[in-house]
Each structure stands twice: as structure tokens, then as C-alpha cells.
Amino acid sequence: MVSLSVVVITFNEAANIGRCLDALGDVADEVLVVDSFSTDNTVEICQTHGARVVQNAFAGYVEQKNFATAQARFDHVLQLDADEVLTEELRQSIRQAKADWQHAAYALARLTNYCGHWVRHGGWYPDRKLRLYDRRLGRWEGLLLHEHYEVGPGHTTGALAGDALHYSYHSIAQHVSQLNKFTSITAQELALKGRTRVTLFHLLLKPLWKFVHGYFLRLGFLDGFAGLCIAGISAWGVFLKFAKLKTRTERAVA
């Protein structure tokens, strides 16, 4: 039986972190929260739940998650976001992995709650992520956004049964606000990669394809109004990403 550190990074997550920590059950041999100087009572809630809290200034998702992984007491780590909750089926699967560890990392499925609706279509489910891992065999990679855990060459990955419940957006306004923030970061990331050419294909056809793909081909319409909102706002996000990249590039040239 391996010992497991559950690691969560936070910033002003008072609305979510208690629910996340309550659902850990007995899978954690250590609970570590790396907080980037929250101004709400996130830290107090974590300490009430018995978590060890380390403060570290946020320099990016990849940097923060690698820092958090390094601070863990044990080599086997479960990395969660504050708005994620383990189900009993997933907890049992994690216990089994601890008892018979076979891979460098394990992926879990996320079932997202969008404005009170559980989303099972549109490409949002099962949304598998590598979150349970042996830190000696991989690390978090990526630029500014869309960080992912990557295992070293020659190592295998497995899949856990059960879902992590992901409480993403409680309102459309929150979704739009986050979209505005993330599209700015994504445009910056594209610029760093040298992708600066933006045409009408990027501004018109790619957003349209995003909507058609999510709403029709990935059956987003089966999620009703939530599916329509997700497809529409996601398409708008594609437009915003390339529009911001275009204006960023033109300012750099001027």
C-alpha cells in the first residue's frame, strides 16, 4: 500500500475548498494545499480540515503545480482542483491503485456541473485528466494555460473508475468572465509559439466549426439550454482568442 499526498492549489476558493476536502474520505495520507495568498478565508477552511498549507506566489499553473508536487511528503500524488469532488466509486478506485500500483500515472474522468446541470455531451465528458501519479516518473508541462501532466518515456498510464464531480460555472456571467480572462492568456500563449497570422478563416470559420462540432456532432443539444450556452460561448471564445491575437500582433508591428 503506497502512501498518498492529495495536493490542491488555491486562490480565493472559500466557496469550493471545503466541499473538495470533505470528499477525500480515507484516500489521503496527507492533504497539502498550496495557496497563492488568498484574501478570503480559504486558508482557515483548509486548516480546519487538517490540511497542511504552504503559501507560494502564483507564477503560472505549470509552475504552481510542479511546486506543489515537490512540496508533498509522499512520491505518490493526487492533484485536484478546489472545485472538484471525489465520488465514492472514484475513491474506491484510488484505494485499489494505492494497494496495487502498476502505472506511472492514472487518469480520472470529470463530470462537470454547469449552472446546476450535469453535462454529459458536447465534448465535456468524460474529460479525462492524468491526476494520480508517481512524481518521480513525470511532471507538469505547458506554457501559460492548458497545463497537463506528462509521464516520462517508456512509462505506462492507467484509468480510474468513477467520476470527479467538477463544479465549474455557477452562472453564465462567471463563464463569460473566465472566458475573457483565458482567451487573453491563450492569445499570449499563441504569440509565444510564433503563431501570429490571423485570417477570416480563424475569425469566422473556426468559431462556426467549434459550435457545430460541440452542439451537433458531439451531441451538445442533448444537454438542453446548458448545452446551447456551452456551444455558443465556446464558439465566441474561439473568435475572442484570435481577435485578441490579431490586435496583439498589430500593436507589436506598429
Side-chain angles (χ1 to χ4, degrees), residues 3-5 69 72-77 101 133-136:
S3 295
L4 183 68
S5 292
T69 297
R73 289 201 175 106
F74 304 114
D75 289 324
H76 296 84
V77 175
W101 194 276
Y133 50 85
D134 183 336
R135 67 181 176 186
R136 297 167 295 186

Side-chain angles (χ1 to χ4, degrees), residues 42-197:
T42 295
V43 170
E44 289 80 0
I45 294 172
C46 294
Q47 292 171 337
T48 299
H49 283 78
R52 178 166 64 97
V53 179
V54 174
Q55 295 278 11
N56 188 60
F58 186 82
Y61 289 103
V62 172
E63 293 82 0
Q64 194 77 334
K65 288 189 175 181
N66 277 322
F67 174 85
T69 297
Q71 300 306 305
R73 289 201 175 106
F74 304 114
D75 289 324
H76 296 84
V77 175
L78 173 64
Q79 178 91 230
L80 293 176
D81 292 340
D83 59 1
E84 295 172 342
V85 174
L86 303 182
T87 59
E88 175 52 34
E89 184 181 7
L90 181 54
R91 284 194 295 267
Q92 181 57 31
S93 186
I94 293 169
R95 294 185 196 104
Q96 292 171 356
K98 289 178 63 178
D100 184 21
W101 194 276
Q102 297 182 3
H103 301 283
Y106 293 83
L108 56 80
R110 299 197 305 171
L111 177 61
T112 296
N113 188 289
Y114 181 87
C115 301
H117 179 88
W118 294 108
V119 179
R120 297 183 179 274
H121 307 91
W124 276 36
Y125 183 78
D127 189 27
R128 291 194 178 275
K129 308 286 186 184
L130 286 177
R131 294 295 191 80
L132 180 65
Y133 50 85
D134 183 336
R135 67 181 176 186
R136 297 167 295 186
L137 305 178
R139 61 179 283 107
W140 288 92
E141 301 284 356
L143 287 177
L144 304 178
L145 203 58
H146 307 304
E147 76 283 359
H148 62 280
Y149 191 79
E150 191 169 304
V151 300
H155 298 296
T156 61
T157 61
L160 299 169
D163 297 328
L165 304 180
H166 179 214
Y167 291 87
S168 62
Y169 301 112
H170 59 74
S171 70
I172 292 174
Q174 184 194 16
H175 189 184
V176 172
S177 176
Q178 283 286 83
L179 185 82
N180 188 44
K181 172 186 173 182
F182 288 152
T183 52
S184 295
I185 297 173
T186 304
Q188 182 183 357
E189 189 172 77
L190 288 172
L192 289 173
K193 292 179 179 178
R195 294 180 56 187
T196 57
R197 186 170 180 266

Side-chain angles (χ1 to χ4, degrees), residues 15-64:
N16 292 311
I17 191 61
R19 179 177 56 202
C20 174
L21 299 181
D22 282 336
L24 295 179
D26 61 353
V27 302
D29 299 287
E30 177 202 24
V31 179
L32 169 66
V33 174
V34 174
D35 182 75
S36 48
F37 300 96
S38 291
T39 56
D40 62 7
N41 62 333
T42 295
V43 170
E44 289 80 0
I45 294 172
C46 294
Q47 292 171 337
T48 299
H49 283 78
R52 178 166 64 97
V53 179
V54 174
Q55 295 278 11
N56 188 60
F58 186 82
Y61 289 103
V62 172
E63 293 82 0
Q64 194 77 334

